[in-house]
Amino acid sequence: MAVRPIFIPKLEGDFLVKTKNIDFEWFPGLSVSQKQKSIDSLHTEAKKLEGIEKVLEISSKSKNKLGIALSAFNLMIKSTKGKQVSVECVFQSSKVFEGDIQYLDLLEVSSREAKKDSRLKSSGRVIAFRTYGKKDKEWKTEPITAYYDWLYINALNQHTEFHKELLEYSAFSDIEFNPEKSLNCQAYSVALFCSLFKRGVLKKALESQEFFLSLYEDYKIDNSYTSRKQLGMFL
């Protein structure tokens, strides 16, 4: 057995996203087929919750083409220069470490290479985020997941071809996400996108960093799947 969170967009009330931890049967092994068995098991248990009819796995292991396309490794965002770069590469390259160190060359490698770059583990604490190295677009490290959520939602907003199908789902999962080891979760960011979209505040949230950050104060942002002791890891 294992426990993993699913993320549920909330269209009214104090919460924008609710996190539900699900107990399910885990199928060990690194193969895609084993991962997909675990996903099926997770979704079967999740659908026992009231109001949960359709669950979308957001990862490269998803059985759904949309779920694969929305993996941070695959989802592309258009830079200010018009270049298409994956969310993963932009996120990893945006990390600013102690000593004002930033690895913008990660914008030029594959998503997997960016995530696995050894410098990210040996450069000390993350002190800020700067998209494409621009100091006027700097984000602080708190609220803990705010910058990743904002970046991912910006990218997803550019892909209007996904929106109609995406909004039909009532919850989202990421079988690769282990809350004991990671901070940010693409499935959570998708759920937050859906909530903001359906509440009619998505445009305002993406236009203003101040307004986006205010959401973490005005609403009960349920990112309790992360642990504050993990702050600074940003795996």
Side-chain angles (χ1 to χ4, degrees):
M1 298 294 289
V3 178
R4 287 291 185 274
I6 63 163
F7 305 100
I8 307 166
K10 303 301 290 184
L11 308 186
E12 57 183 20
D14 292 338
F15 284 95
L16 290 173
V17 176
K18 282 293 291 180
T19 300
K20 292 289 187 181
N21 289 317
I22 306 295
D23 291 287
F24 65 102
E25 183 178 0
W26 179 264
F27 293 84
L30 299 176
S31 69
V32 173
S33 62
Q34 289 297 96
K35 295 284 188 180
Q36 290 180 341
K37 288 178 183 177
S38 293
I39 292 168
D40 288 342
S41 176
L42 171 60
H43 288 189
T44 295
E45 295 302 318
K47 289 175 185 177
K48 294 178 182 179
L49 296 175
E50 183 178 357
I52 305 302
E53 298 178 357
K54 296 180 67 177
V55 186
L56 180 63
E57 167 70 15
I58 309 292
S59 77
S60 60
K61 305 303 187 296
S62 180
K63 289 183 175 180
N64 189 301
K65 290 182 179 180
L66 178 61
I68 295 172
L70 295 182
S71 163
F73 275 29
N74 299 325
L75 186 65
M76 308 300 281
I77 186 169
K78 185 182 292 185
S79 72
T80 52
K81 295 182 179 180
K83 182 179 178 180
Q84 295 285 342
V85 186
S86 74
V87 169
E88 187 68 33
C89 287
V90 176
F91 177 67
Q92 301 299 348
S93 70
S94 296
K95 293 178 179 179
V96 181
F97 295 90
E98 295 172 299
D100 205 38
I101 298 170
Q102 190 171 4
Y103 302 113
L104 293 175
D105 57 305
L106 295 180
L107 291 167
E108 307 297 330
V109 302
S110 70
S111 296
R112 189 167 300 280
E113 288 172 319
K115 186 177 180 66
K116 297 295 184 181
D117 194 292
S118 61
R119 296 173 296 177
L120 300 174
K121 297 287 185 71
S122 62
S123 297
R125 188 169 61 91
V126 176
I127 60 172
F129 297 96
R130 293 178 195 148
T131 311
Y132 309 121
K134 296 182 178 180
K135 291 188 176 182
D136 62 331
K137 296 185 181 297
E138 184 169 296
W139 288 68
K140 296 180 180 179
T141 57
E142 292 193 68
I144 297 174
T145 68
Y147 175 73
Y148 183 88
D149 293 334
W150 175 85
L151 175 64
Y152 187 99
I153 291 171
N154 260 282
L156 181 51
N157 189 53
Q158 292 180 4
H159 291 272
T160 56
E161 70 273 19
F162 297 145
H163 295 178
K164 182 179 179 180
E165 181 182 356
L166 180 65
L167 294 168
E168 295 176 355
Y169 287 89
S170 48
F172 303 94
S173 66
D174 178 359
I175 202 67
E176 301 285 13
F177 175 73
N178 185 340
E180 296 299 320
K181 297 181 179 180
S182 301
L183 282 172
N184 304 288
C185 181
Q186 55 201 3
Y188 176 86
S189 299
V190 170
L192 183 56
F193 170 90
C194 291
S195 180
L196 296 174
F197 187 101
K198 290 185 176 181
R199 289 183 185 228
V201 296
L202 178 63
K203 182 178 180 181
K204 186 175 181 181
L206 294 182
E207 287 177 346
S208 167
Q209 182 187 103
E210 182 180 4
F211 179 78
F212 191 88
L213 292 175
S214 75
L215 296 173
Y216 292 76
E217 298 177 1
D218 297 339
Y219 291 91
K220 297 174 183 177
I221 300 290
D222 188 4
N223 55 3
S224 56
Y225 60 90
T226 65
S227 169
R228 292 191 60 81
K229 69 181 181 180
Q230 293 173 301
L231 182 60
M233 291 172 59
F234 297 103
L235 301 178

